[in-house]
Amino acid sequence: MSGTATFDEAGYRAEMRADWDAAGAEIVEYVDDLESGLGLVSRRLIELAGLRPGQTVLDLGTGYGEPALGAARAVGPSGRVIGVDLSPVMIEVARRRAAGLGNVEFEAADFGAVARADGSVDAVLSRFALMLATDRTRLFEGCARMLVPGGVLAAAVWGPPTANLFVTGLVALTRELGLPSPPPDRPGAFALSSSELIVEELRAAGFAEVDVEELVVPFRFADAARYAGLTQVVMPRGLHRLAVQRLGSEDALRELFERAAAAHLDPDGSLPLPSLAYCVRAHT
Ligand SMILES: C[S@@+](CC[C@H](N)C(=O)[O-])C[C@H]1O[C@@H](n2cnc3c(N)ncnc32)[C@H](O)[C@@H]1O
């Protein structure tokens, strides 16, 4: 996938980096909320990769260090984990969370440009990042090349938005502002929301066998306000600016997210937002 001729890859990457730098500055406050759902995905990816002590692992788009930190525990002191993320702010958060672990390091870089020696990595992990790549062909071919023969790519991507209640607030905002859906060939949260496409792209990149399974991420927030606060932190900055301008204030945006979430509240006021993920296991 390389997008259409008019797609500005460099501009997209700069925006992506700025978005996640902005999120990284505030996300620490929400890591526990997120991991109460996403922890399940990390555990499954580590299982699918079959990590063993002594192995070398790459985590692409590691964000605040997931699933790199779990992988570091799985490969033990004789193993090595390298987490890569475009956002230097996220990488700083990941480094702080890794304090005390001697076998994990983090690099601020574009995962499309990561170059390790051919056949030098036992497993590539990635949790909710591969669909953001500007050139998945290049990325997947690079992963296949860096892996040892029989090495494993274990990655999670989002299923379709209709099966993803985590984006309830953003769906409501898009409707409220009358914004069009993004073109289907552009990178984004739902660019790999088809198991057929995942299999096709990874097979074409040289992976011998590709399996995709569904996993429901059991997000649950203490209340709608907590969810609205997190959505304000992780939403793209351009959309945030537009929303505040059109709705009139940050408070109005928060209220819109809370109203959208209200339909899903449990009687105790907590907010379950189950969201479908695809977990992929591909080996060379
Ligand atoms: C949805 S977050 C997931 C972070 C983490 N893996 C997790 O599950 O919590 C996506 C991450 O991918 C990173 N990312 C996006 N495009 C990237 C690229 N081209 N190279 C490296 N990282 C990238 C972003 O900076 C962001 O931290």
Side-chain angles (χ1 to χ4, degrees):
M1 201 294 308
S2 48
T4 63
T6 55
F7 180 57
D8 171 12
E9 280 197 30
Y12 167 87
R13 254 195 310 276
E15 213 173 292
M16 173 76 54
R17 174 179 156 160
D19 282 348
W20 288 103
D21 272 350
E26 297 185 61
I27 207 150
V28 190
E29 203 203 317
Y30 293 97
V31 168
D32 289 348
D33 302 72
L34 287 165
E35 290 308 305
S36 70
L38 294 173
L40 183 67
V41 183
S42 286
R43 290 191 289 280
R44 186 61 186 143
L45 294 181
I46 288 166
E47 260 171 31
L48 288 172
L51 295 188
R52 295 189 304 280
Q55 290 191 315
T56 298
V57 179
L58 273 181
D59 177 15
L60 302 183
T62 190
Y64 54 72
E66 299 295 340
L69 297 182
R73 288 182 201 99
V75 300
S78 60
R80 183 171 175 230
V81 178
I82 304 115
V84 178
D85 200 280
L86 199 55
S87 157
V89 176
M90 280 291 186
I91 286 294
E92 274 314 308
V93 176
R95 285 188 182 132
R96 281 201 298 277
R97 294 183 71 237
L101 280 173
N103 62 346
V104 57
E105 61 202 83
F106 292 100
E107 291 176 14
D110 175 4
F111 53 44
V114 168
R116 304 266 148 191
D118 290 2
S120 66
V121 172
D122 296 294
V124 175
L125 302 180
S126 182
R127 198 181 78 176
F128 302 118
L130 297 183
M131 64 280 180
L132 305 175
T134 50
D135 186 341
R136 293 199 297 271
T137 303
R138 189 166 68 116
L139 176 63
F140 293 165
E141 286 176 354
C143 289
R145 230 182 358 256
M146 287 185 287
L147 282 168
V148 296
V152 177
L153 167 75
V157 295
W158 290 118
T162 47
N164 186 317
L165 290 186
F166 183 74
V167 293
T168 296
L170 291 176
V171 169
L173 176 65
T174 305
R175 201 175 303 128
E176 175 77 17
L177 301 183
L179 300 176
S181 311
D185 64 342
R186 296 291 161 83
F190 299 107
L192 270 178
S193 296
S194 147
S195 42
E196 291 79 16
L197 184 65
I198 296 167
V199 172
E200 183 189 313
E201 291 191 2
L202 288 171
R203 293 294 300 270
F207 284 90
E209 205 173 301
V210 184
D211 294 304
V212 180
E213 63 182 37
E214 296 190 350
L215 187 151
V216 175
V217 181
F219 285 120
R220 180 177 287 273
F221 297 91
D223 52 33
R226 190 79 188 151
Y227 165 71
L230 172 62
T231 304
Q232 281 170 294
V233 165
V234 296
M235 69 191 288
R237 289 304 87 190
L239 178 60
H240 182 270
R241 276 190 298 278
L242 179 71
V244 171
Q245 186 192 20
R246 297 267 297 273
L247 299 174
S249 70
E250 189 82 48
D251 280 351
L253 176 60
R254 182 180 42 75
E255 281 161 21
L256 183 146
F257 288 151
E258 289 186 18
R259 268 198 314 279
H264 303 286
L265 286 171
D266 269 355
D268 68 356
S270 70
L271 179 65
L273 293 176
S275 298
L276 181 67
Y278 294 133
C279 289
V280 185
R281 179 186 186 279
H283 69 76
T284 51

